[in-house]
Amino acid sequence: MQTVRKDIHNSDIPALCQSCEARHQGICGALTAEQLSALAKHTRRVKREGGQELMADAMPIPAYANVLRGVVKLTKVLEDGRQQVVGLQFAPDLLGRPFASESRVSVETASEVELCMIPKPALENLMRDGSPVEHRVMMQALRELDEARDWMVTLGRKTAAEKVASFLYLIATHIDPTEEGALATFDLPLSRADIGDFLGLTIETVSRQMSRLKADKVIEIVNYRHVTIVDLAQLRLRCG
Amino acid sequence: MQTVRKDIHNSDIPALCQSCEARHQGICGALTAEQLSALAKHTRRVKREGGQELMADAMPIPAYANVLRGVVKLTKVLEDGRQQVVGLQFAPDLLGRPFASESRVSVETASEVELCMIPKPALENLMRDGSPVEHRVMMQALRELDEARDWMVTLGRKTAAEKVASFLYLIATHIDPTEEGALATFDLPLSRADIGDFLGLTIETVSRQMSRLKADKVIEIVNYRHVTIVDLAQLRLRCG
DNA sequence: CGGGCCATTGAAATTATTCAAAAACCGTGG
DNA sequence: CCACGGTTTTTGAATAATTTCAATGGCCCG
């Protein structure tokens, strides 16, 4: 439905993509100072809570967006409602299928997210003249393709136990790489239902496997959402 | 191991990528006449039988190649030998991961194929100056990403029966689109083992589901490899 | 015609799902 | 701070789906 919300007005100030620029990653890293400040005139920094749909499958993309913070999930559904999460996006990923009139997935915030919204024409103009931006976009597409294929192995060939371990390992290594060496502790960006949809499992199977990892002292489940990895090497081992 | 084989010498004549050029698809369609004839000096048209490894996972890419005919499979393996086919490539796809020092998948011929081999520097020079070739490569990457995500739904959320139907439907709509309307009849480019590895199923389950489709008169199994689609609409229905 | 290789079929075992209930968490309001 | 209701998660038992193990059958090629 994409109605304009209060939080958009709250952050209606042109903003550079600090986070991605700083890391020299993402789209903004490919821009000159002038291009960057020109782009900044069109971008809007917005915050969204979890569970908001940003783009719908088979519908036009309202705008591109850079993930600055938080996790965004890409999903597809079968006619009868079965759902599959086909990707997770972290900072500084670009949201929105380039060079297509419609999105090929549904894009939803998984956790609270900060985005740098980029109007369609703004980004498409930047990509037109064979600019480095196009190259950046391609590099992301190639990386996502590698990740999708890695995940196909998980979906097709791993057991439920290995799938859950793989998911926790993925999150542990992508979210908040706080202190080096310290045992990772974090909020899961997905509900059990979403984890199931990511792994091709039911909620119950996910829950059982998490309980087993807890019983085996590989992880601690602080509460439903918050998890601590007690033994990362063991978790890695259990990824198959 | 990539040893030079007899069939390379047999076709040691510079050749344009007729097939992909004709369809205005693939890489060559983005080239000017001069670029095309310059490239032709470096390309080699080669034929390979099924079951040959073209590139190995985690190894440098010997050269890029355009698929002119036949089917190539991309696979990944777990340490314990479990295998997953993560993609199939048809004409006029480009083989070889751009902008990476190593392949991220193992690339093997599934059927007899014809390839247009493009030396690494030849293609990389064409991509350097923000040329349309880079754009073509990106478009293929984006398309493959869409396909990978479609397949993730199949792997994660479909039943064995739906998976096998989906595979047959995929092949029927990609291979040899002979006469319009005519019931598709073709050689499967994959063995039962490969189909299993593509679908995340065992050989036996694939076989059972194929037998069921045959019993239900959706397909005819002429022999192990040759299949006729009797009722494409019904097959489509069974894809889930 | 026989051997080798795939593929099919059957029965038992395993894994994951489904259905059902209990427990833990979360936010709210007293 | 605690109780309450709604929601999510966990746990258990029965069921269904797929795999595994084992044997048979069919095709191809000499």
Side-chain angles (χ1 to χ4, degrees):
Chain A
M1 198 58 77
Q2 279 309 110
T3 56
V4 176
R5 284 188 204 76
K6 185 165 42 94
D7 49 8
I8 291 188
H9 300 301
N10 285 348
S11 50
D12 229 352
I13 317 122
L16 299 178
C17 302
Q18 292 118 282
S19 106
C20 54
E21 188 194 7
R23 304 192 204 179
H24 202 261
Q25 292 177 300
I27 304 309
C28 303
L31 298 175
T32 64
E34 304 95 82
Q35 288 175 312
L36 207 49
S37 65
L39 180 62
K41 289 189 177 60
H42 302 291
T43 61
R44 293 287 178 276
R45 190 157 176 171
V46 307
K47 196 178 287 190
R48 292 294 170 85
E49 56 190 28
Q52 304 293 312
E53 180 171 81
L54 301 174
M55 312 176 193
D57 191 7
M59 296 290 286
I61 298 165
Y64 296 100
N66 242 253
V67 179
L68 302 181
R69 188 176 57 78
V71 181
V72 173
K73 63 179 213 252
L74 311 180
T75 65
K76 295 180 75 83
V77 292
L78 261 24
E79 279 116 20
D80 63 2
R82 280 175 290 176
Q83 190 166 166
Q84 177 68 44
V85 174
V86 297
L88 295 179
Q89 308 267 244
F90 303 86
D93 293 336
L94 179 74
L95 304 178
R97 169 68 156 84
F99 304 108
S101 56
E102 296 179 347
S103 181
R104 292 290 316 262
V105 296
S106 165
V107 182
E108 278 173 64
T109 58
S111 61
E112 183 183 280
V113 161
E114 259 180 274
L115 301 172
C116 174
M117 307 292 295
I118 309 168
K120 270 179 66 114
L123 185 65
E124 282 162 7
N125 287 334
L126 277 175
M127 286 197 292
R128 222 175 289 289
D129 47 354
S131 83
V133 173
E134 182 170 35
H135 186 255
R136 293 282 178 135
V137 170
M138 171 160 68
M139 294 306 269
Q140 177 177 326
L142 287 167
R143 184 175 47 70
E144 285 182 35
L145 182 56
D146 290 339
E147 288 169 3
R149 287 175 173 162
D150 286 344
W151 205 251
M152 287 172 76
V153 180
T154 299
L155 286 174
R157 284 304 182 201
K158 291 191 185 177
T159 63
E162 291 169 335
K163 284 180 177 182
V164 171
S166 299
F167 169 75
L168 290 172
Y169 190 82
L170 175 75
I171 299 301
T173 53
H174 274 76
I175 284 222
D176 188 37
T178 39
E179 303 90 50
E180 176 65 41
L183 59 166
T185 181
F186 48 81
D187 278 334
L188 292 175
L190 301 185
S191 67
R192 296 293 184 275
D194 283 338
I195 297 172
D197 286 342
F198 192 32
L199 297 172
L201 298 173
T202 59
I203 295 176
E204 294 94 327
T205 301
V206 172
S207 180
R208 273 184 252 274
Q209 297 302 335
M210 301 245 322
S211 297
R212 171 179 286 269
L213 286 172
K214 178 174 137 192
D216 293 355
K217 305 220 187 308
V218 180
I219 66 172
E220 266 169 35
I221 301 177
V222 179
N223 61 30
Y224 291 160
R225 279 300 181 112
H226 197 91
V227 165
T228 299
I229 309 294
V230 177
D231 188 345
L232 189 65
Q234 178 60 221
L235 184 66
R236 175 107 184 61
L237 221 57
R238 293 187 184 218
C239 290
Chain B
M1 198 59 76
Q2 277 310 113
T3 56
V4 176
R5 285 190 204 74
K6 185 163 46 92
D7 49 9
I8 291 186
H9 300 299
N10 286 348
S11 50
D12 229 350
I13 317 122
L16 299 177
C17 301
Q18 291 117 285
S19 106
C20 52
E21 188 195 8
R23 304 192 204 178
H24 204 263
Q25 290 176 301
I27 304 309
C28 303
L31 298 175
T32 65
E34 304 95 82
Q35 288 175 311
L36 206 49
S37 64
L39 181 62
K41 287 188 181 57
H42 302 291
T43 61
R44 294 286 178 276
R45 191 156 175 172
V46 307
K47 196 178 287 188
R48 292 292 169 87
E49 56 191 29
Q52 304 292 311
E53 180 171 80
L54 301 174
M55 311 176 193
D57 191 7
M59 294 290 287
I61 298 165
Y64 295 100
N66 242 253
V67 179
L68 302 181
R69 187 175 58 78
V71 180
V72 173
K73 64 178 213 250
L74 311 180
T75 66
K76 293 179 77 81
V77 292
L78 260 23
E79 280 118 19
D80 64 1
R82 280 175 288 176
Q83 190 166 168
Q84 178 68 44
V85 174
V86 297
L88 295 179
Q89 308 269 246
F90 304 85
D93 293 336
L94 179 74
L95 304 177
R97 170 68 157 83
F99 303 109
S101 56
E102 297 178 347
S103 181
R104 292 291 316 261
V105 295
S106 165
V107 182
E108 279 173 64
T109 57
S111 61
E112 183 182 281
V113 298
E114 261 179 89
L115 302 173
C116 175
M117 307 293 293
I118 309 168
K120 271 179 66 116
L123 185 65
E124 282 162 9
N125 286 334
L126 276 174
M127 285 196 293
R128 221 174 290 289
D129 48 352
S131 82
V133 173
E134 183 170 35
H135 186 255
R136 292 284 177 132
V137 170
M138 171 158 70
M139 294 305 270
Q140 176 178 325
L142 287 167
R143 184 174 47 69
E144 285 182 36
L145 182 56
D146 290 340
E147 288 169 4
R149 286 173 172 163
D150 286 344
W151 205 251
M152 287 172 76
V153 180
T154 299
L155 286 175
R157 284 303 181 202
K158 291 190 184 177
T159 64
E162 291 169 336
K163 285 179 177 182
V164 171
S166 299
F167 168 75
L168 290 171
Y169 190 81
L170 174 74
I171 299 300
T173 53
H174 274 75
I175 285 223
D176 187 38
T178 38
E179 302 88 52
E180 177 64 43
L183 60 164
T185 180
F186 48 81
D187 278 334
L188 293 175
L190 302 184
S191 67
R192 296 292 185 274
D194 284 338
I195 297 172
D197 286 342
F198 192 32
L199 297 172
L201 298 173
T202 59
I203 295 177
E204 294 94 327
T205 302
V206 172
S207 179
R208 275 184 252 273
Q209 297 302 334
M210 300 245 322
S211 297
R212 172 180 285 271
L213 286 171
K214 178 175 137 189
D216 294 354
K217 306 224 186 306
V218 181
I219 65 172
E220 266 169 35
I221 301 177
V222 179
N223 61 30
Y224 291 157
R225 280 298 183 113
H226 198 91
V227 165
T228 299
I229 309 295
V230 177
D231 187 344
L232 189 66
Q234 179 58 223
L235 184 66
R236 174 108 185 61
L237 222 57
R238 293 186 183 216
C239 289

